[in-house]
């Protein structure tokens, strides 16, 4: 069977490394590739694969295609509907099933490293990943969420998605300069280029810093926070959930993580 990760750009993705390592660990003779698919082209690409009859089983989806993936699906999971985007497409027969493993992957990544209470959370950025990780913070106990962005009008959908969580959290949108360590957890979904010295100083001292970036690493924001959760932590846990969805087998988490860590070390050597 064939699987792949789709996005634009995509050459940097570690997903092939993780999934291939998983296949080797469980003895599956499957393939997993990185395929560049531009914005607006996802539906046509998926329709051309032929599903399982064409040898295709699953697709991981990254920026800028996560909302397109949701729109293409025939069946949508409750959490993908809640997030408003999909990072996982499962091809079964004539149907395409959409899911979002970023949300539960973020929960698992945090709980692997941090057992503290999260009542107040701050999300830096306002895109699809901000919505997923913001909802994850609410799953972890946050009753108030602050979405901090450079252009508040662009965070409206993410804020509305987080506020739609069944627990009914309070969600406010502010400028990025208003972010501070006066919170239980900060999740950064912004690129390294936006992680200024001023922002890092404002966030210093936060109990939990969760930076979804994994390359380059470390980042300016990874230097602050009593406990740090990395983008690789998130990538591994969401990929493990995808692996199980695609194969029906328990994911070999340790082997997948080790492969990702080795690949990142090789990139900086």
């Amino acid at each position: 069977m064939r699987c792949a990760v789709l996005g634009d750009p995509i050459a940097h993705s570690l997903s092939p490394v993780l999934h291939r390592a998983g296949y080797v660990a469980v003895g599956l003779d499957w393939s997993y590739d990185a395929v560049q698919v531009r914005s607006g082209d996802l539906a046509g690409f998926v329709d051309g694969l032929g599903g399982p009859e064409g040898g295709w089983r699953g697709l991981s989806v990254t920026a800028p295609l996560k909302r397109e993936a949701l729109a293409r699906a025939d069946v949508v999971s409750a959490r993908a509907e809640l997030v408003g985007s999909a990072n996982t497409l499962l091809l079964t027969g004539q149907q395409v099933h959409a899911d979002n493993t970023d949300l539960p992957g973020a929960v698992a990544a945090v709980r692997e490293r941090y057992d503290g209470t999260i009542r107040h959370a701050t999300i830096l950025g306002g895109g699809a990943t901000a919505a997923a990780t913001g909802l994850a913070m609410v799953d972890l106990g946050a009753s108030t969420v602050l979405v901090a962005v450079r252009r508040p009008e662009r965070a409206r959908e993410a804020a509305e998605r987080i506020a739609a969580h069944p627990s009914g959290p309070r969600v406010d949108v502010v400028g990025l300069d208003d972010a501070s360590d006066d919170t239980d957890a900060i999740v950064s979904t912004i690129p390294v280029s936006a992680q200024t010295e001023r922002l890092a100083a404002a966030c210093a001292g936060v109990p939990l810093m969760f930076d979804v970036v994994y390359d380059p690493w470390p980042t300016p924001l990874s230097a602050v926070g009593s406990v740090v959760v990395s983008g690789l932590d998130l990538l591994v846990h969401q990929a493990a959930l995808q692996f199980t969805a695609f194969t029906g087998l328990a994911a070999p988490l340790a082997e997948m993580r080790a492969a990702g860590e080795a690949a990142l070390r090789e990139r900086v050597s």
Side-chain angles (χ1 to χ4, degrees):
M1 297 299 292
R2 301 177 66 186
C3 297
V5 58
L6 314 180
D8 183 24
I10 201 61
H12 69 286
S13 177
L14 278 183
S15 291
V17 172
L18 302 184
H19 284 264
R20 290 170 185 170
Y23 299 158
V24 170
V26 302
L28 279 182
D29 185 22
W30 285 29
S31 67
Y32 188 105
D33 299 306
V35 181
Q36 183 182 32
V37 176
R38 293 182 171 84
S39 179
D41 292 344
L42 182 136
F45 178 85
V46 173
D47 291 343
L49 295 179
E53 292 185 0
W56 285 88
R57 177 60 172 169
L59 300 169
S60 307
V61 182
T62 188
L65 305 173
K66 291 183 179 181
R67 291 192 173 102
E68 287 184 45
L70 187 71
R72 169 57 189 86
D74 302 301
V75 180
V76 178
S77 72
R79 61 191 176 201
E81 188 71 37
L82 184 64
V83 176
S85 66
N87 74 332
T88 306
L89 294 178
L90 180 65
L91 312 181
T92 60
Q94 300 301 311
Q95 290 189 319
V96 177
H97 293 246
D99 196 7
N100 191 303
T101 64
D102 283 334
L103 197 169
V107 171
V110 169
R111 279 304 176 222
E112 182 179 41
R113 301 192 182 277
Y114 183 75
D115 61 2
T117 299
I118 300 176
R119 295 189 179 91
H120 312 289
T122 298
I123 313 298
L124 308 182
T129 303
T133 53
L135 286 162
M137 292 301 103
V138 180
D139 273 357
L140 288 163
S143 58
T144 62
V145 178
L146 195 68
V147 180
V149 290
R150 285 176 288 188
R151 298 171 61 183
E153 68 275 8
R154 299 186 65 179
R156 185 176 296 108
E157 181 172 354
E160 290 175 350
R161 292 290 178 182
I162 299 168
H165 189 283
S167 68
R170 174 180 172 178
V171 182
D172 295 309
V173 179
V174 298
L176 195 59
D177 289 341
D178 293 320
S180 73
D181 64 356
D182 186 22
T183 184
D184 298 316
I186 294 176
V187 183
S188 174
T189 70
I190 62 177
V192 170
S193 60
Q195 298 183 15
T196 63
E197 291 184 9
R198 177 179 177 179
L199 179 61
C203 296
V206 67
L208 172 66
M209 172 59 71
F210 182 0
D211 192 340
V212 305
V213 171
Y214 63 83
D215 185 16
W217 189 266
T219 68
L221 288 177
S222 70
V224 304
S226 300
V227 175
V228 176
V229 177
S230 74
L232 182 61
D233 295 327
L234 172 59
L235 186 69
V236 169
H237 280 285
Q238 65 83 24
L241 293 166
Q242 290 180 336
F243 180 96
T244 297
F246 296 163
T247 68
L249 302 174
L253 194 68
E255 288 85 349
M256 293 171 74
R257 184 192 301 276
E261 291 172 342
L264 284 180
R265 287 195 299 270
E266 184 175 331
R267 289 185 182 185
V268 300
S269 63

